[in-house]
Amino acid sequence: DAKTTQPNSMESNEEEPVHLPCNHSTISGTDYIHWYRQLPSQGPEYVIHGLTSNVNNRMASLAIAEDRKSSTLILHRATLRDAAVYYCILRKASGTYKYIFGTGTRLKVLA
Amino acid sequence: DTEVTQTPKHLVMGMTNKKSLKCEQHMGHRAMYWYKQKAKKPPELMFVYSYEKLSINESVPSRFSPECPNSSLLNLHLHALQPEDSALYLCASSQETGPSGGYNEQFFGPGTRLTVL
């Protein structure tokens, strides 16, 4: 299974944009890029996913490099409630959906 | 209702005990998952059920025994656990386990925090 690499931790000031990077140099052509986050004392929750094109939803944006070997999750205005561990996950487009979580990035938001 | 519920929230058991974790969803999802999460580590997949049949067992020791009595319920039976099995056990569900035209996000419950003494 393809692996992802993320920085262990990042800090951001409240109401500023946050760019969370993820490297996935062994990604295959049909792997989807998923992002989940885990707030303290909760299970992970879906944030966004994409295949090749950049994606936007109400929570975040996902920017995918042209060669797909890296991606960036963008939170446009971080709030204190965005403090969480953010996981970048590759999921195959065929077969049984297995999520292999990377080590994740712990985001700290400063007031 | 987009909620996955798990009971109990906390469980303390001895190494000779038998206990069960329960997971329930009413979203009509046909895929359900068990994950194990140690402190400050990412979740690790244990089991996947698809249409109430075991689809994936990630080489989990037999002291963990999953059961899917119906499409809404998932149990994890625990017997003769070791202290190193202490962890947060997460349940998740999704519409399907494979391609179905949708993106099949997984919905996670809050987990059961298990302590084995």
PDB file of all heavy atoms in Angstrom, chain A residues 10 26 53:
ATOM      1  N   MET A  10       2.260  21.379  13.343  1.00  0.00           N
ATOM      2  CA  MET A  10       2.296  22.729  12.775  1.00  0.00           C
ATOM      3  C   MET A  10       1.510  23.648  13.693  1.00  0.00           C
ATOM      4  O   MET A  10       0.627  23.195  14.440  1.00  0.00           O
ATOM      5  CB  MET A  10       1.671  22.752  11.376  1.00  0.00           C
ATOM      6  CG  MET A  10       2.487  22.039  10.315  1.00  0.00           C
ATOM      7  SD  MET A  10       1.788  22.167   8.668  1.00  0.00           S
ATOM      8  CE  MET A  10       1.934  23.900   8.332  1.00  0.00           C
ATOM      9  N   THR A  26       4.727   7.482  -3.808  1.00  0.00           N
ATOM     10  CA  THR A  26       4.466   6.160  -4.397  1.00  0.00           C
ATOM     11  C   THR A  26       3.005   5.994  -4.808  1.00  0.00           C
ATOM     12  O   THR A  26       2.547   4.880  -5.035  1.00  0.00           O
ATOM     13  CB  THR A  26       4.853   5.042  -3.422  1.00  0.00           C
ATOM     14  OG1 THR A  26       4.098   5.215  -2.209  1.00  0.00           O
ATOM     15  CG2 THR A  26       6.339   5.072  -3.098  1.00  0.00           C
ATOM     16  N   SER A  53      -7.831  16.777  -9.724  1.00  0.00           N
ATOM     17  CA  SER A  53      -8.094  18.222  -9.740  1.00  0.00           C
ATOM     18  C   SER A  53      -8.193  18.764  -8.328  1.00  0.00           C
ATOM     19  O   SER A  53      -8.495  18.035  -7.389  1.00  0.00           O
ATOM     20  CB  SER A  53      -9.420  18.501 -10.439  1.00  0.00           C
ATOM     21  OG  SER A  53      -9.453  17.903 -11.694  1.00  0.00           O
TER      22      SER A  53
END
